[in-house]
Amino acid sequence: MSMDQTHDVNLSSWVDGANEHADFPIQNLPFCCFVQGGESKIGVGIGDWVLSVAEIVTLLDSKFHAAVTSDNLKTMMGWSPADRLAFRQRISELLSDGNDELQGNDALRNAALLRQTDVQFVLPCSIGDYTDFYASVYHATNVGSMFRPNNPLLPNYKHVPIGYHGRASSIVMSGADVRRPHGQLSPDAEGGNPNFGPCKLLDYELEVGFFVSQGNELGSQISIDDADDHIFGYCLVNDWSARDIQKWEYQPLGPFLAKSFATTISPWIVTTEALAPFRSPAMVRPNDDPQPLPYLSSDANTAGGLIDLNLVVSIQSEQMRADNIGPTELSRGSFLNMYWTPAQMVTHHSVNGCNLAPGDMMASGTVSGQSRGSRGCLLELTWDGEIGNPVPGTQRTPIQLPTGEERRFLADGDRVVMEGFCERSGHRRIGFGRCEGTILPALY
Ligand code: MN
């Protein structure tokens, strides 16, 4: 994952508008799947366009043909790191200023370059397994303070990357509406009986997702040195959460129906290769924190295990849409606030011999930092910070919307929008596009 000519800040593209695009200049080249004429295809993002790679097979090495003409990204995710790199370099070459193999072929160019607004994005593949981690120590401490005032951060947290097996079937593409779930809701008073009905404390969680590339055999392990090579790329994830269901059900086995009703992902997968210029050191642990066990430690992970990825969450209520008011910002976070790195999550996931496979998805857990403005969910954002402030019936500081509306949790019609971008001096900014979803009222 070293840098090469594809990252050159001076590299430019002949594609209209690509060089000025905030998210998708030629240095990015993220993957997506989209539907065109009833068929699902693989695309690469460039400016406001999607390059339909199946249309340009004649310009690609024959070893890539099966994967690029597939209706999803799973075959491509299973490529070796060397093939992924060769493919990126070839796409970069074809879209670069001065190359006329595609630019000079009117028929091919017109067939291959589609406006993003003219296609419908779909999931990158059928996601086999989905695991959600809990990697921000700030999020874990804040939530722990609310749910377990006497015991906020459990003693295992700094030793083991905590995660749970999520539900892959309810992962939906950005833009899909999300129905407010029903469930058993936490009792109004400690020791009381649960309520049943539509969730009243609906929340989002700002997360970073990543897709497994090559997997491992059942019984084998992925070492920390190899783990980043097993990550195909990254996307934005909204882990919608029903806090009143969660509070009642989460002990002793962890989240279940509070999370499994929907998870939204962004259409674009920004590749591990594209993110090479933005690698950053793993979090420096305070002196009295335990160091990671040897199987979770490497010099490369310490030096570059995280990605300098900025994340922004905005909200737009139904009233705001009616008044033509755009989404208003709720928080701004950084992926540098993770206590555990993606490589540590992958390695830990496989240390017991659990087999990972191309197309599996993992998510980081809520990305929250130390400051109030960097908290990645409403549970934390509207919490007044007092230890032991329980969830139901609590005093919470509401978010003020430009319409005069207030939010402690999500209301029907609210649209949550997540965005992410990497910026570093000497490099071209690249972005992740948008991950958004709108809350529909409960069904009955
Ligand atoms: Mn989560």
Side-chain angles (χ1 to χ4, degrees):
M1 266 168 308
S2 48
M3 276 180 270
D4 59 23
Q5 70 277 12
T6 66
H7 303 99
D8 185 344
V9 69
N10 295 315
L11 188 66
S12 59
S13 172
W14 50 262
V15 175
D16 186 31
N19 300 324
E20 297 76 45
H21 202 276
D23 282 353
F24 307 133
I26 192 170
Q27 289 82 357
N28 193 346
L29 304 177
F31 288 105
C32 68
C33 276
F34 65 93
V35 170
Q36 182 200 23
E39 267 185 89
S40 182
K41 296 177 177 178
I42 295 171
V44 171
I46 177 79
D48 287 324
W49 306 83
V50 179
L51 174 69
S52 176
V53 289
E55 300 291 343
I56 60 163
V57 276
T58 53
L59 299 176
L60 301 172
D61 192 310
S62 59
K63 70 177 172 181
F64 296 138
H65 288 188
V68 302
T69 55
S70 165
D71 63 1
N72 70 81
L73 279 161
K74 203 170 275 192
T75 310
M76 198 180 278
M77 287 177 182
W79 281 351
S80 67
D83 279 351
R84 279 156 42 194
L85 189 60
F87 187 76
R88 171 179 168 83
Q89 289 171 342
R90 178 59 176 151
I91 296 293
S92 174
E93 182 180 30
L94 287 170
L95 296 176
S96 290
D97 265 330
N99 184 297
D100 71 349
E101 294 173 77
L102 179 57
Q103 187 190 16
N105 185 331
D106 290 354
L108 205 55
R109 191 189 66 242
N110 289 331
L113 276 178
L114 310 169
R115 289 194 178 278
Q116 287 170 20
T117 47
D118 288 344
V119 303
Q120 186 200 342
F121 294 108
V122 294
L123 294 181
C125 58
S126 92
I127 297 167
D129 275 302
Y130 161 45
T131 304
D132 193 20
F133 284 88
Y134 198 51
S136 160
V137 69
Y138 306 113
H139 173 70
T141 305
N142 285 342
V143 173
S145 302
M146 292 175 241
F147 283 16
R148 292 179 307 274
N150 303 320
N151 202 7
L153 197 64
L154 293 170
N156 57 6
Y157 186 85
K158 292 180 174 177
H159 297 273
V160 56
I162 299 293
Y164 68 95
H165 288 295
R167 182 78 192 168
S169 68
S170 52
I171 297 174
V172 298
M173 179 43 56
S174 176
D177 293 335
V178 171
R179 179 77 61 187
R180 179 180 297 272
H182 273 69
Q184 288 198 26
L185 315 178
S186 52
D188 295 327
E190 203 69 35
N193 291 320
N195 300 301
F196 181 81
C199 163
K200 294 187 180 117
L201 307 178
L202 189 56
D203 203 354
Y204 63 83
E205 287 188 343
L206 166 68
E207 306 200 12
V208 174
F210 44 100
F211 282 89
V212 173
S213 59
Q214 290 184 328
N216 59 304
E217 293 294 320
L218 181 62
S220 73
Q221 300 169 353
I222 295 173
S223 80
I224 187 80
D225 291 320
D226 297 336
D228 279 317
D229 277 345
H230 287 262
I231 298 175
F232 179 74
Y234 295 76
C235 65
L236 305 174
V237 174
N238 183 343
D239 176 23
W240 302 98
S241 297
R243 300 302 184 191
D244 36 11
I245 299 175
Q246 184 179 358
K247 183 167 198 280
W248 178 237
E249 74 172 7
Y250 87 104
Q251 292 191 110
L253 286 184
F256 183 32
L257 302 186
K259 304 280 190 173
S260 61
F261 59 95
T263 303
T264 302
I265 65 171
S266 57
W268 302 103
I269 302 179
V270 178
T271 63
T272 299
E273 290 75 21
L275 291 164
F278 307 102
R279 303 300 303 202
S280 290
M283 185 182 281
V284 178
R285 296 186 170 204
N287 282 337
D288 45 358
D289 278 12
Q291 288 306 306
L293 285 170
Y295 82 95
L296 292 172
S297 302
S298 75
D299 290 345
N301 184 65
T302 303
L306 288 177
I307 296 157
D308 191 356
L309 166 59
N310 303 288
L311 299 155
V312 184
V313 187
S314 307
I315 190 170
Q316 186 189 40
S317 68
E318 204 163 5
Q319 186 63 51
M320 289 168 70
R321 280 197 295 287
D323 295 350
N324 279 317
I325 302 172
T328 187
E329 192 171 309
L330 286 173
S331 72
R332 216 163 249 264
S334 168
F335 198 53
L336 297 180
N337 280 316
M338 297 290 101
Y339 195 80
W340 298 102
T341 67
Q344 287 171 322
M345 296 181 226
V346 166
T347 297
H348 181 67
H349 205 311
S350 71
V351 74
N352 64 346
C354 171
N355 49 331
L356 308 179
D360 285 356
M361 191 179 97
M362 298 184 197
S364 60
T366 307
V367 180
S368 289
Q370 269 179 300
S371 68
R372 189 179 194 110
S374 64
R375 297 176 183 170
C377 60
L378 287 174
L379 180 69
E380 291 173 85
L381 269 179
T382 64
W383 172 54
D384 68 11
E386 218 178 282
I387 296 281
N389 186 351
V391 178
T394 184
Q395 284 291 107
R396 306 187 73 85
T397 310
I399 303 278
Q400 305 291 332
L401 302 183
T403 47
E405 297 170 284
E406 291 188 340
R407 287 291 181 277
R408 290 173 177 81
F409 289 95
L410 295 172
D412 293 343
D414 284 355
R415 178 174 297 161
V416 177
V417 181
M418 298 176 172
E419 292 163 291
F421 61 92
C422 296
E423 238 173 1
R424 184 165 278 184
S425 147
H427 296 282
R428 186 65 168 83
R429 169 192 155 125
I430 63 172
F432 278 62
R434 283 157 76 105
C435 174
E436 63 178 48
T438 304
I439 301 300
L440 296 179
L443 264 183
Y444 48 89

